[in-house]
Amino acid sequence: MPTKLTKLAFSLSLLGASAVASAESFTFETTVKQSTDTLVVFHAKDSATSSFQAFNSKTNGQLEKAIAAADFSGDYGSMVEILAPNNLDYQRVIVVGTGDKALSKDKATKLGGNLSGKLEQKHIKNITVAADNVGENNAETAALIAHGISLRAYRFDEYRKEKRQEKSFYFDVDNGSDTAKAYKPLNNIESGVFLARDLTSETATELTPVDFVKEAKKLKKLGVKVTVLDPKEIKKLGMGALEAVGRGSIDGSRLVIAHYKNSSDAPIAIAGKGITFDSGGYNIKTHSSIAHMKVDMAGAAAALGTVKALALNEEKVNVVAIMAMAANMVSENSVAPGDVLRTAEGLTVEITNTDAEGRLVLSDALWYAREKYNPSILVDLATLTGSKVRAVGNDYAAVFSEDDELVKQLTFAGKQVNENLWRLPLGYGDMLKSNIADLRNTGTGGPGATTAATFLQHFTGDVKWAHIDIAGNALASSNKGEVPKGGTGYGVRLLSEWILNNKD
Ligand code: BES
Ligand code: MN
Ligand code: ZN
């Protein structure tokens, strides 16, 4: 006799010790018996789901009437909240439009995010989500909706007196255990995203390069090898650019390497810009945006978050994150404008602007990645330029690469997780010619995001490489879809998706 697994409720706690915390509590079951204050039902464009029909007939057509009165069409993204009819044992019913029956990955996740936003009222504590029959693959779709809900419900509450209260979601699905199984890897990805968000939202004073090292070392218990180079070792290896940027702060620079090796393939290397605070240095930032510059380590945070997500999921991949950490501060020891630095690559750089520090720390990190790991592909993530924000805004990150196939893969992965990329060109190399050194660190003209990317290109040798400029993506000023305001963890979902899409 087969055990009737589907009759059981599958909550995360039942999945064993490796289940990690979501931002909400989820239970997936075939028939929800729990009474809750809120009911969520779905409705496709011009066709009701079976749950909607069942609740509608239970209320003698009241749901139909209510959505007609609200001019609800079932279009993707539409939502109405109604007072629950008398013979339904809830306080409110939320009807969610799914558009087509088939919900793509990105749409299901975003739908969960928007639903979570709608439910963000203190008096809503527990929710029945009548998700049976939704999507073509019900387990997958329901799990993605839960994923979107959790991603959006995350808060960085460390500095608030009033903490957000977790809500309980009871998902009514076609198969409880299948849905719980489909959610588990997504939950682990959330864990990587939340790490990146926590690190990005944490203040510069509380998260110095040394504090970042402590956070990275926590991944050791997941089988990740963590190596740290201090300023002396950085200097000894000739990484004069990374060393110089950190010279103006008490701790100095760190190169942090987190290697998750669970395959014999050549590694994929992810380099991350890790400026824990960017004052600009002697070219000090004078605009009010300086108050956001704790964000400048978001590339490193996303690199570490990606490794965490892959390790939690025990993926059969070989990925190494190389994070270039420093605080770009003003002090007597800081690099002076006009200084010439020597990179480990052997190229010298004239510092024409101390605020173009990201490309300096990354130049040595890219060299290190090539030299020590011989990666098959090298991708770097960096909050690199204001120019990128002016070019494509905050809804896209900019990708730069000579490799059309790599751009295609990354762009495709980004689309699936609502972390969209837009390609910008490399080039304008003449703008980086210096009168005194091999390169200058800012262009004498040309598009700033491109000259920054082209600067980096000098340090990538002949490794297949892409640079992703995430300035403007890493810290959100408003809630949107599955991303709440604050540190976004941008890049963790994109890179995890890309790595998993392309492993053989
Ligand atoms: N960290 C900034 C870029 C940035 C801008 C990040 C907005 C996040 C949001 C970077 O180090 C920087 O200062 N870039 C300068 C370069 C310039 C001096 C060539 C910029 O873009 O203005
Ligand atoms: Mn800067
Ligand atoms: Zn910066």
Side-chain angles (χ1 to χ4, degrees), residues 26 161 290:
F26 292 110
K161 185 173 177 199
I290 191 172

Coordinates of all heavy atoms in Angstrom, one line a residue, residues 26 161 290:
F26 N 5.4 28.7 5.7 CA 4.6 28.1 4.6 C 4.3 26.7 4.9 O 5.1 25.9 5.4 CB 5.4 28.1 3.3 CG 5.7 29.5 2.7 CD1 7.0 30.0 2.7 CD2 4.6 30.2 2.2 CE1 7.2 31.3 2.2 CE2 4.9 31.5 1.7 CZ 6.1 32.0 1.7
K161 N 12.6 49.4 16.4 CA 12.0 49.0 17.6 C 10.9 47.9 17.3 O 10.8 46.9 18.0 CB 11.3 50.1 18.4 CG 10.8 49.8 19.7 CD 10.4 51.0 20.4 CE 9.7 50.7 21.8 NZ 8.9 51.8 22.3
I290 N 26.0 60.4 -1.3 CA 27.1 59.8 -0.5 C 26.5 59.0 0.6 O 27.0 58.0 1.1 CB 28.1 60.9 0.0 CG1 29.3 60.3 0.7 CG2 27.4 61.9 1.0 CD1 30.4 61.3 1.0

